[in-house]
């Protein structure tokens, strides 16, 4: 697949489509009014790792770290990337060249400054053509949200007029019609701004060096789409027909762009199989089904017995149905658990399990309700979590043994990056202290949403030793501080069916490679899936349930207080929303307190932890 992709990337038009998809259509963007609160909008930015391709240096724990620049909205990221990829030098939120701070306004920081042209760009991203703001904007000091926002716009315009500085204005409503960047370019060219577009090779190099996650996300999406496409026996013509029925022009454009990338890969892949006289697993299933339907095989089986039925694909369903239809006396016996359906990327369709009787006729059900692994506390916590998805089958699990151990403990990191190896050491410290007086050999599983997180521990050679077991294709991590504790590293998918004394879910953070993984839920996959389970993060929720329930004693979860997963608050037994400690504006960030003395007078200031995501809450104590 990668050889095919590399070969296709030599074609200029194909490479341009790939780059356009990653840089402009990576996300199926939402309108501002689709969000219920500012906090929900900020969560969207964090979950989808929305950052520009320009990098900045930041000092973290005494070391200089290169990070992608954070902008305060999707549209600002779009503008930033457009300038960056077209060779236009800019500074983001650079303080205005003249002092403006007074008793009403802080020092003015326009969104973009072009130092080579002494030009400012101000993006009014939260306003429509009628000067209205989102419904979730809050009023301030007796002034309506709309009046406050428009007063601020007038102040900014007046400031530029007063100091005779050049201002270019852009608006959110321009983006709805795909005119934002076209209009911006026209306005800047009239001011003499020269665009020097980077070549496709240059952009591809940039993406692979500083935006590897974005490139990898496309790679994962293509492979997942291929698996679903072939296992469910789709045709490109049918997919295009469905896309052209979509009313939303932006979504339709995004899907067609993706198909223009996918279709040549599919054709080359199928040609490769044919030229080498090969079939893949999906071909094998589909061709076998056709063979039976054409009566080239007589089924003499009395019973068909299937385990893990919740992971059945449409292709395998067709094979089962063909066998049953071929022999009316054949009976089907299936075992499964829809709470653990985690192979959507390989083609599984959960509706074949949850709507079993609809597909196979009159059915007798038997329930396995006793769990021998964990206690009632874990049953209560994990059941509540999984049943937040109304499409899951309600069950009343019972524990085999009774104990009151708290089954989950969450450890928070305060790193500025959403991947951090250090919490693992704290977990091992706790496990070690719980087992000081025992010689029992412990089994510890460290689970990660993606395998690539193992690199964190490989890179920190002063703290960890990582060994690879080629026979079982897994890794073992040894922490030098606790060499007696050997940790087996697996992806959550590979842990299904396993158990251990302790389980550690690593890096349970937000973002494309977080948990839930946003790249695993790309809406384009819905073109190939049944409508039975399109609950947000439904598959990722089941996968997290599997991770939670592998432990016999306790599950530890490591996360980041700045980038914590949306799942954390749902399963944290100590999580209590204290509105006094939360930002009153975005309702999501933490209230930050800062004290100081100016000119001999003490002061207290409160702000929001989401200040870098455009929450401008400020209150003086």
């Amino acid at each position: 697949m990668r050889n095919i992709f590399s070969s296709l990337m030599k074609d200029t038009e194909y490479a341009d489509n790939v780059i356009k998809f990653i840089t402009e259509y990576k996300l199926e963007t939402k309108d501002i009014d689709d969000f219920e609160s500012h906090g929900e909008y900020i969560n969207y930015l964090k979950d989808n790792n929305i950052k520009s391709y320009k990098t900045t240096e930041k000092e973290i724990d005494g070391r200089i770290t290169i990070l992608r620049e954070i902008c305060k909205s999707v549209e600002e990221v779009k503008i930033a990337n457009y300038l960056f990829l077209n060779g236009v030098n800019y500074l983001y939120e650079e303080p205005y060249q003249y002092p403006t701070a007074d008793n009403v306004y802080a020092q003015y920081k326009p969104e973009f400054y072009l130092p080579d042209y002494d030009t400012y760009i101000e993006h009014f991203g939260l306003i429509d053509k009628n000067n209205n703001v989102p419904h979730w904007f809050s009023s301030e000091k007796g002034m309506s949200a709309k009046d406050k926002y428009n007063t601020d716009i007038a102040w900014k315009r007046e400031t530029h007029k007063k100091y005779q500085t050049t201002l270019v204005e852009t608006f959110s409503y321009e983006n709805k019609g795909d005119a934002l960047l076209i209009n911006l370019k026209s306005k800047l060219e009239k001011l003499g701004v020269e665009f020097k577009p980077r070549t496709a090779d240059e952009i591809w190099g940039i993406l692979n060096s500083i935006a590897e996650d974005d490139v990898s996300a496309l790679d994962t999406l293509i492979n997942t789409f291929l698996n679903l496409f072939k296992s469910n026996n789709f045709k490109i013509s049918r997919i295009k027909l469905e896309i052209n029925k979509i009313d939303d022009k932006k979504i339709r454009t995004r899907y067609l762009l993706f198909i223009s990338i996918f279709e040549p890969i599919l054709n080359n892949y199928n040609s490769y199989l044919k030229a080498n006289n090969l079939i893949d697993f999906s071909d094998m299933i589909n061709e076998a089904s056709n063979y039976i339907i054409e009566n080239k095989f007589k089924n003499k089986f009395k019973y068909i017995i299937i385990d893990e039925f919740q992971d059945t694909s449409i292709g395998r369903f067709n094979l089962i149905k063909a066998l049953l239809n071929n022999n009316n006396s054949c009976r089907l016996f299936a075992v499964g658990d829809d709470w653990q359906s985690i192979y959507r990327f390989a083609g599984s369709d959960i509706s074949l399990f949850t709507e079993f009787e609809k597909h196979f006729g009159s059915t007798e059900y038997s329930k396995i309700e006793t769990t021998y692994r964990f206690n009632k506390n874990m049953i209560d916590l994990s059941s509540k979590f999984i049943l937040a998805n109304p499409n899951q089958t309600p069950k009343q699990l019972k524990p085999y043994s009774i104990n009151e151990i708290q089954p989950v403990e969450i450890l928070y990191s305060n790193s500025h990056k959403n991947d951090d190896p250090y919490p693992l050491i704290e977990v091992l410290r706790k496990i070690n202290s719980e087992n000081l007086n025992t010689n029992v050999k412990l089994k510890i599983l460290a689970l990660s949403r993606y395998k690539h997180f193992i690199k964190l521990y490989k890179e920190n050679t002063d703290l960890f030793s990582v060994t690879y077991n080629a026979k079982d294709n897994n890794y073992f991590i040894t922490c030098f501080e606790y060499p007696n504790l050997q940790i087996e590293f697996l992806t959550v998918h590979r842990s299904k069916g396993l158990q251990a004394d302790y389980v550690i879910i690593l890096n349970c953070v937000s973002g494309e490679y977080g948990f839930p993984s946003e790249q695993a839920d790309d809406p384009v996959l819905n073109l190939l899936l049944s409508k039975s389970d399109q609950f947000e993060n439904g598959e990722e929720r089941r996968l997290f349930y599997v991770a939670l329930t592998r432990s016999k004693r306790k599950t530890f979860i490591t996360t980041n207080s700045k980038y914590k997963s949306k799942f954390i608050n749902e399963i944290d037994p100590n999580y209590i929303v204290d509105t006094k400690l939360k930002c009153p504006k975005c309702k999501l960030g933490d209230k930050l307190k800062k004290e100081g003395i100016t000119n001999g007078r003490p002061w207290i200031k409160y702000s929001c932890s989401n200040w870098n995501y455009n929450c401008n809450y400020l209150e003086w104590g």
Side-chain angles (χ1 to χ4, degrees):
M1 287 289 288
R2 291 205 172 104
N3 287 341
I4 289 169
F5 183 77
S6 296
S7 177
L8 288 168
M9 283 295 287
K10 294 174 184 175
D11 178 83
T12 304
E13 184 179 351
Y14 188 86
D16 286 344
N17 284 343
V18 169
I19 289 168
K20 187 174 185 178
F21 187 84
I22 293 175
T23 58
E24 295 182 40
Y25 290 93
K26 183 185 83 162
L27 289 179
E28 189 171 299
T29 55
K30 296 182 177 182
D31 288 332
I32 288 292
D33 288 330
D34 291 337
F35 300 94
E36 293 301 318
S37 68
H38 196 178
E40 188 180 317
Y41 179 65
I42 290 170
N43 253 352
Y44 173 74
L45 297 178
K46 289 181 176 179
D47 288 345
N48 291 286
N49 195 32
I50 298 173
K51 299 174 184 175
S52 78
Y53 296 126
K54 185 178 177 181
T55 56
T56 58
E57 290 187 352
K58 192 175 185 72
E59 186 174 322
I60 300 174
D61 298 328
R63 292 185 298 180
I64 298 297
T65 303
I66 305 297
L67 298 173
R68 284 172 64 179
E69 182 179 66
I70 295 177
C71 298
K72 291 178 178 176
S73 74
V74 177
E75 290 158 8
E76 287 181 19
V77 169
K78 195 171 184 177
I79 293 171
N81 286 339
Y82 184 71
L83 296 172
F84 178 71
L85 297 177
N86 281 281
V88 179
N89 182 32
Y90 75 86
L91 298 172
Y92 182 70
E93 292 206 327
E94 180 76 0
Y96 189 57
Q97 56 190 286
Y98 298 100
T100 62
D102 57 22
N103 60 348
V104 178
Y105 291 99
Q107 177 60 35
Y108 178 34
K109 294 182 179 180
E111 268 86 25
F112 301 95
Y113 175 59
L114 312 186
D116 299 336
Y117 302 96
D118 194 22
T119 295
Y120 292 93
I121 301 172
E122 189 69 68
H123 180 64
F124 300 122
L126 300 172
I127 194 168
D128 65 15
K129 283 185 177 181
N130 298 316
N131 297 326
N132 294 313
V133 297
H135 64 88
W136 39 262
F137 260 39
S138 56
S139 58
E140 287 190 24
K141 298 176 182 177
M143 186 182 291
S144 71
K146 177 180 178 179
D147 288 345
K148 175 67 170 70
Y149 196 84
N150 282 280
T151 297
D152 289 346
I153 291 175
W155 178 84
K156 290 172 183 178
R157 288 171 174 163
E158 190 59 36
T159 298
H160 285 282
K161 185 177 178 180
K162 176 181 177 180
Y163 293 106
Q164 297 185 331
T165 48
T166 304
L167 173 65
V168 171
E169 297 180 0
T170 58
F171 301 88
S172 201
Y173 57 77
E174 293 175 295
N175 193 47
K176 288 187 178 181
D178 260 352
L180 176 64
L181 300 181
I182 295 170
N183 292 350
L184 176 62
K185 184 179 182 183
S186 175
K187 294 169 187 174
L188 291 178
E189 283 181 333
K190 286 177 181 177
L191 295 171
V193 175
E194 187 178 354
F195 287 78
K196 300 174 184 176
R198 300 178 192 267
T199 65
D201 285 344
E202 285 179 307
I203 296 173
W204 191 237
I206 290 168
L207 294 177
N208 278 281
S209 61
I210 65 169
E212 296 169 276
D213 289 1
D214 293 354
V215 175
S216 180
L218 177 60
D219 178 57
T220 300
L221 180 59
I222 289 169
N223 279 279
T224 303
F225 200 89
L226 180 73
N227 278 330
L228 289 169
F229 185 91
K230 296 204 73 176
S231 65
N232 292 341
N233 213 5
F234 273 87
K235 304 292 181 191
I236 284 289
S237 56
R238 176 184 164 188
I239 296 292
K240 288 181 178 177
L241 195 64
E242 292 301 314
I243 293 174
N244 285 320
K245 292 178 183 176
I246 297 172
D247 292 331
D248 191 306
K249 182 184 175 183
K250 275 191 175 180
I251 295 176
R252 192 167 66 247
T253 301
R254 180 177 188 265
Y255 286 6
L256 288 173
L257 181 60
F258 175 76
I259 292 300
S260 75
I261 296 167
F262 172 76
E263 187 175 4
I265 291 177
L266 174 70
N267 293 338
N268 277 269
Y269 175 70
N270 285 333
S271 296
Y272 171 82
L273 294 178
K274 187 175 181 180
N276 290 277
N277 198 29
L278 297 169
I279 58 172
D280 62 16
F281 188 77
S282 295
D283 291 330
M284 183 168 65
I285 298 293
N286 294 334
E287 290 184 25
S289 301
N290 293 333
Y291 201 79
I292 297 166
I293 291 167
E294 293 167 4
N295 290 314
K296 295 178 181 178
F297 171 81
K298 182 60 181 173
N299 172 22
K300 297 180 180 179
F301 300 123
K302 291 183 179 179
Y303 299 98
I304 297 172
I305 302 173
I306 304 173
D307 195 13
E308 305 288 3
F309 189 84
Q310 75 277 352
D311 294 323
T312 301
S313 67
I314 293 292
R316 286 180 237 185
F317 164 76
N318 290 334
L319 176 63
I320 298 162
K321 284 291 284 184
L323 286 166
L324 292 171
N325 292 339
N326 190 259
N327 179 356
N328 290 333
S329 64
C330 183
R331 295 290 177 264
L332 172 64
F333 179 89
V335 180
D337 177 6
D338 64 292
W339 290 11
Q340 298 188 63
S341 177
I342 59 172
Y343 288 100
R344 186 178 75 161
F345 69 91
S348 69
D349 186 331
I350 194 173
S351 69
L352 297 173
F353 182 90
T354 56
E355 300 173 8
F356 188 91
E357 200 157 16
K358 171 185 169 183
H359 297 291
F360 294 103
S362 181
T363 302
E364 181 180 329
Y365 291 89
S366 297
K367 294 181 179 180
I368 304 171
E369 295 181 314
T370 301
T371 176
Y372 293 84
R373 183 181 305 135
F374 43 82
N375 66 12
K376 186 177 184 300
N377 290 331
M378 177 60 93
I379 288 174
D380 292 344
L381 183 147
S382 59
S383 297
K384 181 181 178 182
F385 175 78
I386 195 69
L387 289 173
N389 180 350
N391 299 315
Q392 304 292 165
T393 307
K395 302 184 184 76
Q396 296 296 325
L397 298 185
K398 304 177 184 68
Y400 178 72
S401 58
I402 305 298
N403 66 65
E404 293 301 319
I405 295 173
Q406 287 304 315
V408 172
E409 186 170 344
I410 301 170
L411 285 84
Y412 290 86
S413 156
N414 290 311
S415 168
H416 287 270
K417 298 178 72 176
N418 62 354
D419 50 2
D420 186 1
Y422 295 100
L424 177 59
I425 300 175
E426 181 61 27
V427 173
L428 296 179
R429 185 174 294 123
K430 288 176 176 290
I431 293 175
N432 189 65
S433 65
E434 289 180 11
N435 295 275
L436 288 175
N437 301 317
T438 177
N439 293 319
V440 176
K441 187 171 177 61
L442 299 171
K443 183 171 183 181
I444 304 171
L445 286 179
L447 306 182
S448 175
R449 178 61 183 85
Y450 288 99
K451 187 169 71 173
H452 87 284
F453 271 122
I454 192 67
K455 71 181 181 181
L456 292 176
Y457 306 97
K458 285 182 177 179
E459 291 167 356
N460 285 269
T461 53
D462 56 330
L463 301 172
F464 305 101
S465 168
V466 177
T467 56
Y468 174 64
N469 179 355
K471 180 183 176 184
D472 297 323
N473 187 29
N474 59 354
Y475 293 89
F476 287 91
I477 303 171
T478 300
C479 174
F480 296 137
E481 192 172 337
Y482 302 100
N484 59 312
L485 300 176
Q486 191 176 52
I487 310 107
E488 184 178 5
F489 175 93
L490 293 170
T491 62
V492 182
H493 280 100
R494 291 198 62 207
S495 75
K496 187 168 177 290
L498 302 179
Q499 63 181 20
D501 297 296
Y502 292 95
V503 166
I504 309 164
I505 307 177
L506 300 169
N507 291 90
C508 189
V509 294
S510 59
E512 284 179 319
Y513 280 94
F515 205 168
S517 164
E518 295 304 322
Q519 64 164 280
D521 271 346
D522 194 298
V524 76
L525 297 175
N526 290 333
L527 292 168
L528 308 174
L529 295 166
S530 73
K531 308 299 181 189
S532 63
D533 183 32
Q534 295 194 5
F535 184 73
E536 186 177 19
N537 300 125
E539 176 94 347
E540 292 292 298
R541 183 174 289 272
R542 292 188 289 272
L543 191 59
F544 194 76
Y545 170 83
V546 167
L548 270 180
T549 56
R550 297 306 92 199
S551 63
K552 293 188 287 185
R553 296 197 197 178
K554 183 182 282 188
T555 298
F556 289 93
I557 302 173
T558 70
T559 186
N560 183 303
S561 56
K562 294 183 179 66
Y563 299 98
K564 68 179 175 181
S565 159
K566 64 176 74 171
F567 288 161
I568 290 293
N569 292 345
E570 290 189 54
I571 52 91
D572 187 347
N574 299 314
Y575 179 72
I576 300 172
V577 178
D578 186 343
T579 54
K580 294 179 182 177
L581 301 177
K582 287 294 177 183
C583 168
K585 286 200 74 173
C586 74
K587 315 293 185 188
L588 178 80
D590 295 322
K591 212 172 178 181
L592 303 178
K593 180 181 179 181
K594 190 173 182 180
E595 299 180 69
I597 298 175
T598 303
N599 298 326
R601 297 179 63 183
W603 53 263
I604 300 174
K605 181 174 73 172
Y606 297 95
S607 60
C608 177
S609 60
N610 283 324
W611 60 269
N612 57 332
Y613 283 97
N614 209 27
C615 181
N616 57 2
Y617 163 67
L618 184 64
E619 184 180 340
W620 295 93

